[in-house]
């Protein structure tokens, strides 16, 4: 999946989406998340400073909370 160009597919997503990224992700750079957020009309990009690719493991409580808030909208 990392080498696939999913930008055209992302542009078709029109429902609310939560993108969670670590600014130190060395596998899928933050610039990719920013591109997806611009393409997806209803996307919200949440960036965790100092976190890497596995932000959900590094910031478990914070990620769970932002997901809870997002789903509760």
């Amino acid at each position: 999946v990392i080498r696939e160009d999913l930008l055209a597919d992302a542009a078709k997503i029109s429902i609310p989406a939560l993108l969670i990224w670590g600014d130190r992700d060395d596998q899928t750079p933050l610039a990719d998340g920013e591109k997806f957020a611009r393409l997806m009309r209803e996307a919200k990009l949440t960036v965790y400073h100092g976190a890497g690719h596995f932000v959900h493991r590094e910031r478990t409580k914070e990620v769970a909370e932002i997901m809870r808030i997002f789903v509760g909208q």
Side-chain angles (χ1 to χ4, degrees):
V1 172
I2 292 174
R3 291 183 181 15
E4 287 184 55
D5 183 356
L6 301 173
L7 294 175
D9 293 320
K12 296 175 187 174
I13 298 173
S14 60
I15 61 172
L18 176 62
L19 305 175
I20 300 171
W21 235 271
D23 70 342
R24 294 194 177 178
D25 188 333
D26 60 355
Q27 296 178 43
T28 311
L30 177 56
D32 289 353
E34 293 167 340
K35 283 181 198 174
F36 281 106
R38 283 192 301 274
L39 288 171
M40 299 165 66
R41 292 183 291 273
E42 297 291 324
K44 176 183 185 329
L45 175 63
T46 300
V47 179
Y48 289 91
H49 298 284
H53 187 70
F54 296 102
V55 65
H56 61 290
R57 291 184 182 170
E58 297 172 38
R59 305 283 179 83
T60 304
K61 289 182 182 180
E62 294 101 319
V63 168
E65 179 64 12
I66 198 72
M67 289 172 67
R68 185 191 65 73
I69 292 167
F70 181 79
V71 171
Q73 291 181 357

